[in-house]
Amino acid sequence: MYSALKKIIPRTFLKKNESIIRPIVALFYRGHIVQCNLCGFKASKFIHNQRGGKLCPKCGSVARARRLWTILEPILKDRVVLHFSPALKLSQRIRRANTKDYITTDFSKEFKADKCLDILDIAEPDAYFDIIICYHILEHIDKDIQAMTELYRILKPNGVCYIQTPFKHGDIYENPAIHTESERLIHFGQADHVRIYSVPGLVKRLESVGFTIELLNFEKETSGVHGFSTEETIVKAYKPI
Ligand SMILES: [Zn+2]
């Protein structure tokens, strides 16, 4: 249903009118087989996207946002949180949690956010945040070591930054000869990506600026109830005390 709509209606129109269209789409997916942990909607199935992911028919959340909520929900109370390029429904849930402070930011102005912070020069105090959510950001940043240094600076000792990017096996793939959007699409999988990380490669760079790393590795969910349809690695980067 939603896939069919995307083929015949411009994406910009769908995004602009998402709050009206989503509830209508959800009517066609009502059921009791699966459930979204972000909006609570019970459905007959999730919407399958082209990359093998599963979207909630009601709130449009992707699996990685729903998975992250299972991790964040128990630890948000009284914490100071910074969220880069926040997915809407996840952001709404965090805002309703009892955080001490919750700041959202998006440099590209693609996502609704409180601020427009430059990750290379973050206009926030040293050691201010308990939790930083930095999902699918670093693969867009040329000077990623500088960004990591800034994330480290604004994190409190014992604070944690949750990081995820697309990953490949082997080494990080970068190529300074690749500049154009079409080349980047071919080489890095997206027109605005500047590299593809590997998990060990990302870990090594994070450790080089001072972080201590813990990897959270998730298998594909066997029941399918929450739509965690793929394996997933989340990098937890701690600032040591
Ligand atoms: Zn949902």
Side-chain angles (χ1 to χ4, degrees), residues 36 38-41 56 58-61 66 89:
C36 172
L38 279 174
C39 71
F41 183 66
C56 170
K58 180 83 178 282
C59 72
S61 64
R66 297 193 298 272
K89 195 65 195 179

